[in-house]
Amino acid sequence: MKQAAADPWIRWLLVAYMFLLPLRRIYFLPGFGSRFQLTELAFLLLAPLLAYRLLQLREWPKASALTLGFAAYLSVLAVSTFAPPTDARSLVEWLGRSYLLLLFAGVAAYLHRWPDGVARLIRAWSRGSLVMGASAYLGYGLAMAGHLTPLVSVYENYPYFGTLYRATGVAGGATAFVLLSIVPCVASWLRWRTRGTFPFVLLFLALPLVLTFSKEVLLLVLAVGIADPAVRPRKWMLYPALVLGAGLYWFTTHYIVQPVQEIAGSAYAQEEFTSGEVVWRGEDFQLLETSYVSLKRAALLVGLRHPWGGVGADGFPLQLPALRAEGRYPAHLPDYIPHSTWFGAFSEGGFPGLAAVFVMAWSLLRRGRAVAARIAEDDLQWCLVAFFAAVAIGSLNMDLLHLRFFWIAAALLVGGGLPAHRTADVP
């Protein structure tokens, strides 16, 4: 393929974007909060060059169902987001998600013309994750010395552990730290399994991953298992592990197990971790319902009240004060976002928005199955399939659609299928 003059700049900026991807909380701007970070500065430089180069190409890749589904989803959200009275926060959120569509479509289209692009971009992501991990080490060390910084989060009465410090680093949150580590850790693991290369990235991130005290570490372990060369051809091992892992993750996310004698004066009863409801009581133990259940119940109710257009991008928290006044949402819980891809899509976009998300999920599933059927030896593509299998389980409790790294990974999977990009090519 003949390179254009813009190609070196485009590729350098894409590499820079991937390196900055794990550095999600560097600064905050008024009105934008954490939405506008260094990645967006890289994109502002990248976008005109990328658009110019793609317009030069005579053959564009066929638009995927994922792209069309995303565009339909944004169109549905626009109906409610721009309807008066328009909320400025919702407008910024809708524009941010539109930017993610442009990012996904542009990167996926360009990767068809960049043979080693996936390998180079995952390498940059891995190096950025090392900086993210170093920031978590620094933050935890300062916290242990008595100097609290935004690099750690302090949680009081955290279920099963009590008061603790959770490692977050510049990822901006413990869950985000884990999710941003999945692709680099799986790639590191595969290089060790296929080439015997020392898995430095995986080992460097292992301690801060443990110190996140996040249930999403289970998803990372599942992703490593899914991608392992010994497991891929043995689907009889893979499917039971996925079912067991999903069941364990979903149960521990929605319920807290506690001895009966501790419940009466439990600090959890009015904490933001739980709804305050006991759903089952035995002789010795009982189950407390977590706030995730309350949020799903509220999101379902909001979606049913606005079934054909939802409440718009980031409109769900604005509905919670009214639900709280009706007794439909616990009074002690903050005005959270939905914390679910599926329930969030229903509350924000109604049935049309939910249908669009199903189209996107179907497209990713088809792509993953194509990888499994046609390029089973492509380690980096398997790394991405493992990532999406893990976040598919987590999607019940995480809003994925507004996350940069989710759409970048989707672009790598959709745009980087052929020719094969192998882990052996990633130094």
Side-chain angles (χ1 to χ4, degrees):
M1 179 189 70
K2 184 178 179 180
Q3 280 197 6
D7 278 332
W9 292 98
I10 291 172
R11 295 176 183 184
W12 185 88
L13 285 168
L14 281 172
V15 167
Y17 191 99
M18 296 298 290
F19 176 81
L20 296 170
L21 193 63
L23 315 182
R24 295 178 68 240
R25 294 293 187 273
I26 301 298
Y27 59 84
F28 297 84
L29 293 179
F32 289 91
S34 62
R35 291 180 175 90
F36 195 93
Q37 294 291 316
L38 293 178
T39 44
E40 280 62 65
L41 291 177
F43 180 77
L44 289 176
L45 298 173
L46 170 67
L49 293 173
L50 189 59
Y52 169 77
R53 182 66 178 116
L54 290 177
L55 288 172
Q56 285 184 324
L57 301 178
R58 294 182 179 181
E59 296 181 4
W60 277 66
K62 185 178 179 181
S64 69
L66 184 57
T67 308
L68 298 176
F70 197 177
Y73 173 71
L74 290 173
S75 300
V76 171
L77 288 188
V79 174
S80 297
T81 301
F82 289 92
T86 301
D87 179 74
R89 185 178 67 176
S90 296
L91 264 176
V92 170
E93 180 65 22
W94 186 88
L95 290 172
R97 297 190 196 184
S98 300
Y99 140 68
L100 292 177
L101 171 60
L102 296 176
L103 176 70
F104 160 74
V107 173
Y110 188 78
L111 280 173
H112 284 274
R113 298 281 179 152
W114 190 9
D116 64 339
V118 172
R120 289 184 61 184
L121 294 182
I122 289 182
R123 182 193 314 160
W125 187 344
S126 298
R127 290 175 178 173
S129 73
L130 294 178
V131 178
M132 178 184 71
S135 70
Y137 278 108
L138 174 62
Y140 217 88
L142 290 172
M144 294 298 97
H147 303 285
L148 289 178
T149 69
L151 300 176
V152 297
S153 296
V154 181
Y155 281 71
E156 296 183 0
N157 298 316
Y158 194 70
Y160 307 114
F161 295 101
T163 299
L164 50 76
Y165 300 124
R166 300 182 70 186
T168 60
V170 291
T175 297
F177 187 97
V178 178
L179 296 179
L180 282 161
S181 301
I182 292 179
V183 169
C185 285
V186 173
S188 181
W189 173 266
L190 288 177
R191 290 179 60 242
W192 175 62
R193 294 282 285 124
T194 58
R195 298 178 61 191
T197 305
F198 184 74
F200 177 75
V201 173
L202 177 61
L203 294 179
F204 183 78
L205 293 176
L207 180 57
L209 283 168
V210 172
L211 293 177
T212 62
F213 295 95
S214 175
K215 292 179 289 296
E216 281 68 31
V217 172
L218 174 63
L219 302 181
L220 188 151
V221 173
L222 279 173
V224 168
I226 292 167
D228 190 272
V231 176
R232 291 179 207 168
R234 297 175 174 85
K235 292 184 175 59
W236 61 270
M237 296 172 56
L238 178 61
Y239 294 135
L242 283 173
V243 171
L244 180 63
L248 180 60
Y249 175 76
W250 290 336
F251 178 84
T252 56
T253 303
H254 292 93
Y255 302 103
I256 297 173
V257 181
Q258 200 177 30
V260 169
Q261 60 269 24
E262 296 182 14
I263 294 297
S266 173
Y268 298 154
Q270 293 297 317
E271 286 284 349
E272 55 189 62
F273 306 116
T274 78
S275 67
E277 297 291 331
V278 176
V279 296
W280 175 85
R281 179 179 285 113
E283 291 185 3
D284 299 316
F285 294 93
Q286 61 183 6
L287 296 181
L288 290 175
E289 186 181 82
T290 71
S291 55
Y292 283 103
V293 179
S294 299
L295 286 168
K296 289 178 174 60
R297 193 179 293 123
L300 182 61
L301 184 58
V302 169
L304 291 174
R305 290 181 176 181
H306 305 84
W308 303 116
V311 294
D314 207 24
F316 174 75
L318 302 177
Q319 307 298 314
L320 293 179
L323 293 180
R324 188 181 291 111
E326 297 174 17
R328 301 293 190 96
Y329 185 71
H332 67 280
L333 292 183
D335 294 342
Y336 286 125
I337 60 174
H339 281 83
S340 173
T341 300
W342 306 98
F343 286 85
F346 183 51
S347 66
E348 293 183 346
F351 287 111
L354 185 60
V357 174
F358 272 110
V359 170
M360 289 187 268
W362 172 77
S363 177
L364 282 173
L365 175 62
R366 285 189 60 193
R367 179 63 188 146
R369 293 184 65 178
V371 168
R374 295 190 285 113
I375 47 177
E377 298 305 316
D378 187 331
D379 286 336
L380 288 184
Q381 287 290 296
W382 263 105
C383 175
L384 295 167
V385 169
F387 169 81
F388 281 107
V391 298
I393 294 172
S395 66
L396 187 63
N397 304 311
M398 296 182 293
D399 294 300
L400 297 174
L401 299 182
H402 63 274
L403 297 177
R404 303 168 184 85
F405 58 86
F406 176 84
W407 289 109
I408 277 288
L412 297 181
L413 184 67
V414 172
L418 293 174
H421 307 279
R422 301 184 183 282
T423 303
D425 298 328
V426 185

